[in-house]
Each structure stands twice: as structure tokens, then as C-alpha cells.
Amino acid sequence: MNKKLLILVIFWATQCYSQRYILDSVESEYGSLYHQEINQFKYAADSPYFNTFFKRLDSVFEGKKDKLHIFHIGGSHIQADIYSNKLRTYLQNTNEVSMAQRGFIFPFHLARTNNPSNYQISGTKSKWQGYRCSATDSIAWGLSGITAAFREKSDTIYIKANYKNYTKKQYTFNKFRLFHSTWNDDYQITLLDSTLVDWEITNYESFYKEYHFKTAVDSVAFRLELKETANISPEFLFMGAELMNENPGIEFTSIGVNGASFGFYNRSAYFEKQLQLYSPDLFIISIGTNDAYMPVSYFNTDKFRKYYEDFIQMIQRINPNCAILLTVPNDSYYKRKYQNKNTATQQIIINELAQKYQMAVWDFYEIMGGLGSSNRWYKNKLMPRDRIHFTHLGYQIKADLLLNALIDAWSTATNRDKETLLNHYKSLHE
């Protein structure tokens, strides 16, 4: 993808807008571009995993203190964390007991790429280098699929849990995990406020250091110092951070890397090992756009199916009762010139796998209009020229369509009135 275009896309996607339900106000202008009547989680009603998930989600809605963990993984759409964060905000703003911890985040700024706008991790950017699993790089990758490497003498890292987020409450945390190269002892890690720390541990199996604080905070800073200045090839690999507390409610973790595909995530040797730290209740798979970004003659259907099925099985190894939502990628153009017909092939495979494993499908390809529809979205300024990504308004519409489909399946599973549920979320930001 053209670098200047990607920067422009990121600019559109990261502008500061307050969150509100958008579909009602745009229906007259854009309603003909998407098919609300088929906006649903296919097969969810027949899935025991989704029935269990929605009953527990309903319990949180009623104000009971339960814990749910949702993962959402994809490529650049998820790295930007626009529509995924909108869904996170809806769910965490449900009521007084719905907001769990912020959880896992990554220092994209230090890796010299676009960072989600709802939190900040800063340091001396020029001292760091980013390595994505979706590039030709070769380095250690974990759950995030991207690593920020530090090889200088010292730097100070500042982490803010809250930035341009729209949750009713601010995130706080009393435990802090720093995922890094624990096999390497080149650097001293020192929290700037040492009085915060009650105790700390290092987990060499899953590659993190964990600090337990005496009180809850909304930010933390730590300093890296090279232990031996004579060391000619020092290295510190920053693989992510986790902001933790004991709050009940809904935790929403988004994992996304620009350009990522199943094959590239498969290069992350520590992905499954770090995912085993969690027990996801709902896993949303939005990988596929980059798997299909090629001429039709180059697309290997068997390879795509194998990667997808292996990924589902990995999630099930970690939590056999996890509900898994398979999302069909949006319509797109290859090199801005050619309609990408590979997405229709992916659509067939994804639907077959969902039925095989009793999971659900959100078919955004079909919802947005199928083959060639991205050109119509582009002409209506909901996608940029690449006709792969979306403008901020386009992502807002996508988020609210996903919310609608989730509420439709939720109401079916629990016999709640759909409009009552939907109106509750529509009114959260008024």
C-alpha cells in the first residue's frame, strides 16, 4: 500500500470525535449502501457457545458482578482501534459494574507506527525500532504480533491508561505487566515511583514482569538503563503491557497489526503461549483482508482454510467453551484497480468453518453490498481511495452495524426485547 495514502488513512481514522450512535442520523444519506435486514450473527442461535456467552453478558447487563473477556484480532482496521474501541466503549459503559480493566496494550508509537488514540505510551521515539510480523523482519513476537526494540543506553517510558477514550469512568490499575525479553538481562528496569510497588515477580515462561501496586493509578513510568556500557549489542524487546485490576465487568482486548494475515500471525512464536494467560469468552476474528490481497490466480483456498481452522483450534485449546465470531472481510480493490473476487471465496470458507465448529459469522462483505460495493462506499466518502480502509464515519457506521448484530443475537438468546436493548446503548452518550 502507498505509504502516503496509509498516513492519510490513519489521520482520518484517529481524529478526535466523541462517541455516539450514528446509524439513525445517517440512514437517509447512507442507508442504501448497507443491508440492515441481513445484519446478523449467522448461526449464533444454534451455537451453545454463543448461548452461554449471551446469558453471561445479560448477567452483566442486569448489574451482576461477572467477568467477561472479549478479544478482537485483525490487521490495520484493528490496529487503528476505531470501530473495535467503539464497541468496547458501548459495552463498558453499560452500567456501573460493566467496566473491567483496560488490559493488554502495545506501544505502537515506539514501534514507529500509528497508535490507537484511547491510550498513550511515549518515550524517545528515535531510540526505538519497530518490527511487525507482517514485514520481512525477523525477531521475537508475542501476542501483539509486533515488537518495539531498544538498543540505546537509556530511555524513560510513560504509559497513560486514559487519553481520548469515552468511557464514563476512567481506567485505573493496581497491577502492571510489562511483556519483554525476559531471557535477556541487558537492561535495568526501574519504576520512577518506587513507592508504588508492593511486590513484583518475573515470569520467564510467558515473558513478562509483573508489579503489584499499593494503590490504584491511571499512569505509570519506568526507566530503562543499560547495565554494562561495554555491551556492544544490547537489546530490550517490548512486546506489550497490561493494565490490570480486580474489577468485574467486560474487558475488551484488541490485537491488530498493519498488513497482518493468518500466515504472519503464525510467525509469532509466543502468540499462543501468551494467549494462554487469558480465558477469552468471545473471540472475534477479523483476519482475512491481507490474506486475499492478491490476484485471484495467486489465492490458495486450501492454505487459507488451513490457517483459519488452525487458529480456531488454537482458541479452543485455550478455552474450549469460547464463543468465536468469524467476520467476513469487507469488499476491497486490489491495487485500487481490480475488484477483489477472493473475498467471495473467503466468505464461503468462513461460513463452512462456522457451521463445522458451531460458531457464528458476521458477514460484513454481504452487509456492505458484496463485490464492488467498496467503490460505492468510496464515492460516498466512507472509504479512502484504496477502497480497503474506511474514513472515520465509515468506521463509525461499521461499529454500529456490529453493535446492532450483537444485540439482535443477544435478544434472541435471552428473550429480551431487541429495541429496549438497542435504545439503552443509543442513549449512553446523549
Side-chain angles (χ1 to χ4, degrees):
M1 184 186 298
N2 182 279
K3 187 175 182 180
K4 290 182 179 179
L5 178 59
L6 180 58
I7 292 171
L8 184 58
V9 169
I10 292 166
F11 172 77
W12 279 330
T14 56
Q15 295 181 67
C16 179
Y17 293 85
S18 61
Q19 175 164 306
R20 61 189 178 88
Y21 184 84
I22 200 75
L23 285 189
D24 289 345
S25 60
V26 303
E27 178 69 27
S28 59
E29 186 173 359
Y30 302 110
S32 62
L33 297 176
Y34 54 84
H35 301 291
Q36 181 69 276
E37 70 279 4
I38 56 173
N39 180 32
Q40 57 185 282
F41 286 5
K42 294 180 181 178
Y43 322 121
D46 298 322
S47 168
Y49 310 106
F50 273 88
N51 284 329
T52 298
F53 171 75
F54 283 123
K55 287 175 183 176
R56 292 187 58 203
L57 179 60
D58 202 64
S59 178
V60 174
F61 182 79
E62 291 180 341
K64 297 176 182 176
K65 294 183 178 181
D66 199 355
K67 281 190 175 185
L68 287 178
H69 196 169
I70 299 171
F71 272 80
H72 194 174
I73 190 170
S76 52
H77 298 296
I78 307 303
Q79 179 178 326
D81 199 25
I82 304 300
Y83 86 97
S84 47
N85 184 57
K86 198 176 187 194
L87 187 61
R88 175 190 293 117
T89 306
Y90 278 127
L91 294 175
Q92 291 191 332
N93 281 352
T94 296
N95 53 35
E96 289 300 308
V97 297
S98 60
M99 184 173 171
Q101 63 189 23
R102 180 58 180 88
F104 187 87
I105 55 177
F106 180 80
F108 291 101
H109 174 78
L110 298 182
R112 303 190 185 190
T113 183
N114 57 303
N115 200 90
S117 62
N118 51 79
Y119 66 88
Q120 272 192 334
I121 302 181
S122 59
T124 308
K125 184 178 177 181
S126 61
K127 294 183 177 182
W128 293 78
Q129 184 65 49
Y131 297 91
R132 293 179 292 151
C133 64
S134 55
T136 56
D137 307 325
S138 181
I139 206 167
W141 292 294
L143 186 60
S144 57
I146 182 170
T147 294
F150 181 75
R151 303 182 180 100
E152 302 291 335
K153 289 184 178 179
S154 63
D155 198 14
T156 302
I157 314 305
Y158 300 89
I159 300 178
K160 295 181 179 179
N162 305 286
Y163 188 52
K164 296 175 182 177
N165 54 312
Y166 306 108
T167 49
K168 290 180 179 178
K169 300 177 183 178
Q170 296 288 283
Y171 292 110
T172 61
F173 55 99
N174 59 9
K175 287 187 286 187
F176 170 60
R177 276 182 184 168
L178 176 62
F179 290 89
H180 70 97
S181 45
T182 54
W183 59 86
N184 190 323
D185 196 35
D186 292 342
Y187 289 90
Q188 178 68 41
I189 306 169
T190 307
L191 263 62
L192 263 58
D193 185 358
S194 60
T195 63
L196 272 177
V197 181
D198 193 12
W199 55 277
E200 63 187 65
I201 58 169
T202 300
N203 186 313
Y204 294 97
E205 294 296 318
S206 298
F207 318 112
Y208 66 82
K209 189 165 189 174
E210 182 172 301
Y211 299 88
H212 289 240
F213 296 159
K214 297 173 184 177
T215 186
V217 297
D218 62 5
S219 62
V220 69
F222 64 92
R223 186 162 180 80
L224 294 176
E225 291 276 0
L226 183 61
K227 290 182 177 180
E228 298 290 340
T229 56
N231 190 336
I232 60 172
S233 57
E235 186 173 68
F236 178 89
L237 303 182
F238 193 170
M239 294 186 285
E242 188 170 9
L243 313 180
M244 308 164 68
N245 58 39
E246 294 77 29
N247 293 351
I250 300 166
E251 180 180 356
F252 194 115
T253 300
S254 59
I255 302 166
V257 183
N258 293 340
S261 64
F262 281 112
F264 287 132
Y265 276 119
N266 196 48
R267 298 177 68 200
S268 300
Y270 306 139
F271 187 97
E272 183 172 357
K273 182 177 285 290
Q274 292 186 342
L275 186 60
Q276 288 171 356
L277 295 168
Y278 312 98
S279 184
D281 301 289
L282 171 64
F283 208 117
I284 306 173
I285 304 176
S286 293
I287 307 172
T289 298
N290 297 299
D291 299 75
Y293 191 73
M294 61 187 69
V296 173
S297 59
Y298 286 25
F299 183 64
N300 187 323
T301 57
D302 292 336
K303 187 176 181 180
F304 178 74
R305 182 191 299 272
K306 179 70 164 55
Y307 271 135
Y308 215 127
E309 193 159 12
D310 286 349
F311 200 84
I312 291 172
Q313 291 172 353
M314 178 191 67
I315 297 168
Q316 290 183 324
R317 282 196 299 272
I318 292 162
N319 182 6
N321 298 313
C322 182
I324 306 176
L325 177 65
L326 317 183
T327 71
V328 181
N330 56 270
D331 179 66
S332 62
Y333 272 63
Y334 177 62
K335 293 187 175 180
R336 303 190 205 171
K337 296 179 181 179
Y338 312 104
Q339 292 180 344
N340 195 337
K341 297 180 181 180
N342 294 326
T343 311
T345 304
Q346 291 178 312
Q347 180 188 43
I348 295 170
I349 294 170
I350 289 169
N351 276 276
E352 289 174 352
L353 289 175
Q355 293 176 81
K356 179 178 179 178
Y357 288 94
Q358 292 184 290
M359 300 306 171
V361 172
W362 187 54
D363 193 344
F364 189 65
Y365 176 70
E366 182 181 38
I367 294 162
M368 74 178 290
L371 185 65
S373 58
S374 58
N375 198 44
R376 295 190 293 274
W377 282 58
Y378 161 63
K379 288 180 178 179
N380 282 271
K381 300 181 179 179
L382 298 179
M383 299 181 84
R385 286 179 60 203
D386 69 354
R387 285 162 290 183
I388 297 173
H389 299 89
F390 294 83
T391 62
H392 189 274
L393 180 57
Y395 278 121
Q396 283 193 311
I397 290 172
K398 188 175 182 179
D400 286 356
L401 285 168
L402 181 53
L403 175 72
N404 270 252
L406 182 143
I407 286 175
D408 181 68
W410 175 2
S411 63
T412 299
T414 59
N415 294 315
R416 280 197 181 271
D417 180 69
K418 178 183 176 181
E419 290 305 314
T420 301
L421 272 177
L422 186 57
N423 287 333
H424 172 77
Y425 288 95
K426 285 182 182 181
S427 64
L428 286 178
H429 304 281
E430 291 181 351

